[in-house]
Amino acid sequence: EHPSLQVQGDESALLGLLDELKAGKIGALFVLGCNPAYELPGDWGAFLMKASFSVACVERMDETAEAVSHVCPVPHFLASWGDAEPVRGHYSLVQPTFPVLGEARPVLESLAVWRGRPAKAKDLVQEHWRENLFPRSPSVAGFQNFWDRSLEAGYVELPVPTAPAGAFDASR
């Protein structure tokens, strides 16, 4: 009933991406949270260079950052806001324990800027929780109360929404 949603790789999709990179079919590629030029077999660094536009969102320069056309410095995850659903129906909050150092910007904020709607990461996470999670909270009065309780606990457990017939379910 509550499957783990962690580490959900898809090797066939990765091999498909590799084929498309080799063929020069990838116009833009964003790499986040991994270092394929180091972690994967073969010469991924050379394949990454085949994308017309490639960005590595990284805390520090690594093999993938060396191979892409652009590097977007991101802060350490302990200096950022975020959330996760590691187990179906269990939502956790990530909140900064120290300020962003240097000229890094959280990925959420970069994505907001790139889509033309700049916003702070905390505001984006809070907006997502207000629109998508709070309505599923059965007994908490008011969003601020829900947010404060969730922030204090670090997580919230909510009923799993039922998907309409034929809807895609990533956990299967």
Side-chain angles (χ1 to χ4, degrees):
E1 180 175 300
H2 292 287
S4 171
L5 302 176
Q6 303 168 70
V7 190
Q8 294 188 22
D10 183 342
E11 286 188 33
S12 63
L14 186 63
L15 291 173
L17 172 63
L18 178 59
D19 289 342
E20 290 184 37
L21 280 168
K22 286 179 182 177
K25 294 180 178 178
I26 301 294
L29 178 70
F30 290 79
V31 180
L32 170 66
C34 61
N35 182 0
Y38 177 79
E39 296 167 354
L40 298 174
D43 192 3
W44 272 82
F47 304 138
L48 291 170
M49 290 181 193
K50 291 185 172 249
S52 302
F53 178 83
S54 54
V55 179
C57 299
V58 294
E59 290 178 34
R60 65 190 69 78
M61 291 300 289
D62 60 21
E63 293 80 1
T64 297
E66 295 288 339
V68 297
S69 59
H70 297 81
V71 175
C72 181
V74 298
H76 188 276
F77 80 93
L78 291 175
S80 299
W81 281 93
D83 63 357
E85 185 185 10
V87 175
R88 175 143 330 221
H90 294 79
Y91 300 88
S92 63
L93 281 162
V94 178
Q95 52 187 311
T97 58
F98 58 86
V100 172
L101 305 173
E103 295 185 39
R105 178 171 63 192
V107 172
L108 283 175
E109 292 180 17
S110 292
L111 292 171
V113 167
W114 297 337
R115 72 178 184 176
R117 294 179 47 206
K120 292 292 182 190
K122 178 184 179 184
D123 297 337
L124 294 166
V125 171
Q126 203 170 29
E127 177 183 333
H128 173 73
W129 280 55
R130 179 181 290 110
E131 293 175 6
N132 299 288
L133 301 182
F134 174 63
R136 293 174 31 209
S137 177
S139 62
V140 178
F143 173 74
Q144 193 60 50
N145 192 24
F146 170 76
W147 176 256
D148 291 343
R149 284 183 183 184
S150 302
L151 202 55
E152 180 180 0
Y155 80 101
V156 65
E157 184 176 352
L158 296 172
V160 177
T162 56
F168 175 75
D169 183 355
S171 70
R172 294 183 184 173

